[in-house]
Amino acid sequence: MVSSNDVPRLFLQTMISRRVVSDKLARVLWGKCVEAVKAADDEVDIDYDPKMFDQYVNELNNRLEPVELKLAPTFDEIVGKKLWVLINLEGDGLVQVATYYSPVEIAYFKALVDQIVLASSDCYSVSSMTALREVNSLKPSMSKTQAEVVLADFVAKGWLVKSARGRFSLSSRTLLELQKYFTDNYADDIHECNECHKLLTMGVRCFLAECSGRLHNHCYKQFARSGRKSCPSKVCKADWTQLEQLLPVGEGAVAEGQDSRRTRRRVEEEDETDETDESEEVQPKPKSKPTKKGKVRPTQRKQRLVQEEAEDDGIEDDEEMATDDDQSPAPKSQARRRRR
C-alpha cells in the first residue's frame, strides 16, 4: 500500500547509497521521491513545499533516532557549499569504518589519518608517495598495489579527498562522522573554526604563532563581509583585514614539490620512551662521581702537598747553605799563614 511515508523511506535509501550529497541535490532527490510515490498512486495526498525541506529532514531524523542514524548538515571545506551527510551515531572511533573494510584496511586508514592530522605546517594532507609508504608499517603487510586500490576506494566512498596535486586529505564526511575520534585523540593537533565551530583542516589562520585563530575559507568571506577587522579568537586582536597576511591551512601550506617527512606516531614515541627508561634502569651508572667545578680530587691534593713540601725543603736547604757560607772558615791561604 503506497502512502506518504514512502517519500522519506525512498530518500533514506538514496542517502544510504550516497552518504554525502549537496544541499541542492538533496532537495532535488526529495522532489523526485515525491514524484515516484505519486506516480505509483495518484490518489496519495502528499504536501510538498521545497522551502520546507529542512522541516522534512528534522522529521526524518526523529524517525532515525532509535537506530542511531542522522542526517547532519555541514560545509565542504574546499568550495564552501552546504552538504548533507548520513552519519552513524552508534559507537565511536573507527567503528563506522569497520563496517566496510577488513582489519588491515582499517589499520591502513588509521595510519593515514594519523599522518594527515600530524602533518607539518598545518597542511593536513599527505602526498601519494607518503600514503603508499605507510603500508610498510602495517602488520600484516599490504602490497603497494593493494594500497592503491584501497586508497581509491577510500576516495570513492567519501572517506578521503584526492586533490589535483595528488595529495590526500580528510573529507567532510570523515570530519563529521569521526568528530569524536578526532577530539579524543587529536585535541591539540586539530582545531575548530572560530566562526562555525566545526573541525578545520582547510582555511586560513592568524599570522601570530601564539594565536590559534583560524577560519574556513567560506567562513572568512562571511567574516570579511560583516566588517570585522580583528582576529576572531578571543585573546588576539591582530589585524585580519589583509588576506595576504594570513597563513594558509591545508594543502596550500605546502609548496609545489615539497612534502613533509613521515611523522612518527605518538604510540611509537611512547614505546621508544619506555624502552629508553628501561635501558637506563638496567644499565648501572659508573661508581665514580663526577668532579664538581672548583674542587680538587684526592690524588691531585696529594701531588700538590708533595710538591709544596719539596718546595719548602728546597727553600730550607738554600737558607742553610746561605748560613753556612756566612759562618764558613777562612780560606786555606789564611790558615797556612797562621801556622807559620
Side-chain angles (χ1 to χ4, degrees):
M1 184 69 180
V2 178
S3 67
S4 59
N5 292 329
D6 291 329
V7 174
R9 291 194 186 101
L10 286 175
F11 183 78
L12 179 60
Q13 289 296 326
T14 305
M15 290 302 303
I16 290 176
S17 62
R18 292 175 176 265
R19 305 297 292 195
V20 182
V21 297
S22 65
D23 180 67
K24 182 178 180 180
L25 179 58
R27 295 172 184 273
V28 172
L29 291 174
W30 190 281
K32 294 295 182 181
C33 293
V34 173
E35 293 178 3
V37 173
K38 286 185 175 182
D41 189 351
D42 294 336
E43 297 180 358
V44 176
D45 185 17
I46 302 176
D47 294 331
Y48 173 65
D49 184 357
K51 296 180 181 180
M52 301 292 291
F53 177 75
D54 291 342
Q55 181 178 343
Y56 300 149
V57 172
N58 291 334
E59 294 175 356
L60 178 59
N61 282 332
N62 292 333
R63 298 180 182 182
L64 294 176
E65 187 174 355
V67 293
E68 298 189 0
L69 291 175
K70 182 180 180 180
L71 274 170
T74 187
F75 284 89
D76 190 328
E77 288 190 307
I78 300 175
V79 296
K81 292 183 178 180
K82 185 178 180 180
L83 303 175
W84 287 97
V85 183
L86 181 63
I87 61 175
N88 188 351
L89 302 177
E90 183 179 4
D92 57 357
L94 299 176
V95 175
Q96 290 85 346
V97 186
T99 308
Y100 306 95
Y101 300 104
S102 64
V104 65
E105 291 170 343
I106 296 170
Y108 185 38
F109 180 79
K110 186 177 180 181
L112 290 174
V113 168
D114 198 64
Q115 290 302 307
I116 291 172
V117 175
L118 299 180
S120 60
S121 304
D122 283 344
C123 68
Y124 293 107
S125 61
V126 294
S127 65
S128 299
M129 186 177 298
T130 302
L132 291 176
R133 280 203 302 264
E134 277 302 303
V135 299
N136 298 328
S137 63
L138 299 179
K139 294 180 181 180
S141 61
M142 177 190 296
S143 67
K144 292 187 177 181
T145 303
Q146 292 174 325
E148 290 177 349
V149 176
V150 176
L151 277 171
D153 195 67
F154 287 157
V155 174
K157 285 189 169 59
W159 295 108
L160 296 178
V161 176
K162 187 176 182 180
S163 68
R165 292 172 56 182
R167 298 185 66 86
F168 292 94
S169 58
L170 302 176
S171 67
S172 300
R173 175 189 181 182
T174 300
L175 291 173
L176 186 60
E177 195 159 358
L178 303 185
Q179 183 173 1
K180 188 177 186 304
Y181 175 78
F182 290 124
T183 54
D184 291 344
N185 296 276
Y186 301 100
D188 298 330
D189 303 297
I190 190 168
H191 306 276
E192 291 183 352
C193 173
N194 292 102
E195 188 73 13
C196 66
H197 304 290
K198 295 184 182 296
L199 295 180
L200 184 150
T201 61
M202 190 174 298
V204 292
R205 65 183 177 92
C206 187
F207 50 84
L208 297 179
E210 63 275 10
C211 179
S212 61
R214 55 192 66 205
L215 294 175
H216 291 111
N217 291 322
H218 58 275
C219 290
Y220 177 79
K221 293 179 181 179
Q222 296 178 358
F223 172 85
R225 286 196 296 265
S226 65
R228 288 175 288 176
K229 298 180 179 180
S230 60
C231 178
S233 67
K234 296 180 181 180
V235 295
C236 178
K237 298 300 180 182
D239 184 15
W240 270 45
T241 56
Q242 301 297 326
L243 179 59
E244 58 272 11
Q245 292 182 351
L246 304 180
L247 302 178
V249 177
E251 187 176 327
V254 182
E256 192 71 34
Q258 178 186 359
D259 191 22
S260 58
R261 294 182 179 179
R262 179 180 181 274
T263 307
R264 303 183 69 182
R265 296 186 186 86
R266 294 174 185 164
V267 177
E268 295 176 354
E269 292 177 354
E270 292 175 358
D271 293 341
E272 290 181 359
T273 305
D274 295 339
E275 292 176 0
T276 305
D277 295 339
E278 292 177 359
S279 61
E280 290 178 354
E281 293 177 359
V282 173
Q283 295 178 358
K285 295 182 179 180
K287 294 182 180 180
S288 60
K289 296 182 179 179
T291 305
K292 295 182 179 180
K293 187 176 181 180
K295 293 186 178 181
V296 185
R297 293 180 179 178
T299 55
Q300 294 179 351
R301 289 180 182 175
K302 290 182 180 179
Q303 292 177 358
R304 288 188 180 181
L305 290 174
V306 172
Q307 185 176 359
E308 291 175 358
E309 291 177 357
E311 291 176 357
D312 294 340
D313 294 340
I315 294 172
E316 291 177 358
D317 292 342
D318 293 341
E319 292 176 352
E320 291 178 357
M321 290 176 65
T323 306
D324 292 342
D325 292 341
D326 295 339
Q327 299 178 357
S328 61
K332 291 182 180 180
S333 58
Q334 295 179 359
R336 289 176 181 175
R337 289 178 184 177
R338 290 177 183 177
R339 288 178 183 176
R340 291 178 181 174

